Amino acid sequence: MRSLFLALCAVMMLCAAAVPQAQAGSFWEGLFSGGPKRNKAVAALSQSDVQEALRESLIRASQVVVEKLGHEGAFSRDKNIRIPLPQTLQPVDKVLKSVGMGTLTADLEGRLNRAAELAAPKTQQILLEAVKAMSFADAKAVLTGPDDAATAYLRQQAGGKMKAAILPIVSEALEDAGAMQIYDLMLTHARTALPMMPDVKANLSDYAADKAMDGIFYYMAQEEAALRKHPEKAVSELTQKVFSALK
């Protein structure tokens, strides 16, 4: 076994030595990464092309997603991002349904989704600012990363600001829609069966805001994956060129 290992190492070293010095880097890159053809195509991209293509594609994706989610029914009618009741309220839902009062929890769930729909448009400008602030190093890492690399980058860079921006909108929407009164009514009817049920009313806005962001980034990831799979469908020639270099 040791002899076989040494023989393989010797073959690899001889192959590397046989490659001209100028091509030695691409030999090792091709051996351990996406292959020399892809490496050469990516390396040939200019800094401005990479940054502009990433910015262009992410700006477009954010516009598409925010427009898709910023209207009534966008969350509540979509099984992929519909906001369910918080886990802590599932026992309440079960009790109320058992006595024919399930409409209360269904109503609260609907208002959580509506709050997310109202808050979604507020994230547009924050996403744009994060995209415009992307450095070349970040853009190159995103470009050559996994299918959701850009989405993960935006969530890391903009997630905190997005949460801070939409939380007041969600809270106001829940208050205006009477969601808190419905919550109190739910607990009043469920207390007999669930005397130790914790009061999570203060967390409802926070929960809805987090779920709103989950929905936004879910569809951002879908847009990104589609572009990486079919760069030829990109709107601009530059974006087609940059993402096609990954093939």
Side-chain angles (χ1 to χ4, degrees):
M1 180 66 77
R2 177 183 173 85
S3 297
L4 178 59
F5 174 75
L6 292 174
L8 287 172
C9 288
V11 170
M12 291 173 70
M13 293 301 292
L14 286 172
C15 289
V19 178
Q21 186 64 32
Q23 299 178 19
S26 63
F27 172 85
W28 290 110
E29 289 170 2
L31 187 62
F32 293 113
S33 61
K37 183 177 180 181
R38 172 178 170 177
N39 289 336
K40 185 176 181 180
V42 173
L45 298 172
S46 70
Q47 176 174 330
S48 60
D49 281 355
V50 171
Q51 286 182 301
E52 184 59 30
L54 258 297
R55 287 170 180 167
E56 180 184 279
S57 60
L58 289 175
I59 287 172
R60 176 170 173 75
S62 66
Q63 291 171 337
V64 169
V65 170
V66 169
E67 183 177 348
K68 175 184 178 68
L69 301 183
H71 63 86
E72 189 169 358
F75 274 79
S76 61
R77 296 171 189 163
D78 188 331
K79 62 182 180 60
N80 293 311
I81 60 171
R82 179 179 174 84
I83 302 175
L85 286 175
Q87 194 62 38
T88 49
L89 290 181
Q90 295 301 326
V92 175
D93 183 41
K94 186 176 181 180
V95 168
L96 292 179
K97 283 179 177 177
S98 69
V99 294
M101 300 183 68
T103 53
L104 285 176
T105 49
D107 197 3
L108 178 60
E109 184 173 292
R111 291 169 199 254
L112 290 172
N113 282 273
R114 183 61 187 138
E117 293 156 4
L118 291 170
K122 188 68 175 180
T123 64
Q124 177 75 74
Q125 187 58 37
I126 298 171
L127 287 169
L128 292 180
E129 290 171 0
V131 170
K132 291 176 181 178
M134 181 182 288
S135 68
F136 172 65
D138 287 334
K140 201 90 179 238
V142 163
L143 179 66
T144 57
D147 284 354
D148 64 344
T151 303
Y153 170 85
L154 285 179
R155 184 149 202 168
Q156 181 183 41
Q157 297 297 315
K161 289 183 179 180
M162 288 173 64
K163 175 79 174 283
I166 68 178
L167 191 54
I169 299 173
V170 168
S171 297
E172 184 178 354
L174 291 176
E175 285 285 356
D176 290 348
M180 299 309 177
Q181 290 85 344
I182 292 174
Y183 173 86
D184 289 336
L185 186 59
M186 280 170 45
L187 286 197
T188 298
H189 287 287
R191 282 293 183 195
T192 302
L194 300 168
M196 303 302 292
M197 180 68 199
D199 189 344
V200 296
K201 179 166 62 175
N203 299 327
L204 281 179
S205 294
D206 196 67
Y207 171 78
D210 284 338
K211 290 297 185 182
M213 290 191 5
D214 286 347
I216 291 168
F217 285 115
Y218 172 84
Y219 276 111
M220 285 290 292
Q222 296 297 306
E223 290 288 322
E224 180 183 359
L227 174 60
R228 289 179 183 273
K229 186 175 182 180
H230 297 291
E232 72 280 0
K233 294 183 179 180
V235 173
S236 77
E237 291 184 3
L238 176 60
T239 302
Q240 292 175 17
K241 168 189 168 183
V242 169
F243 279 90
S244 292
L246 300 175
K247 293 294 187 179

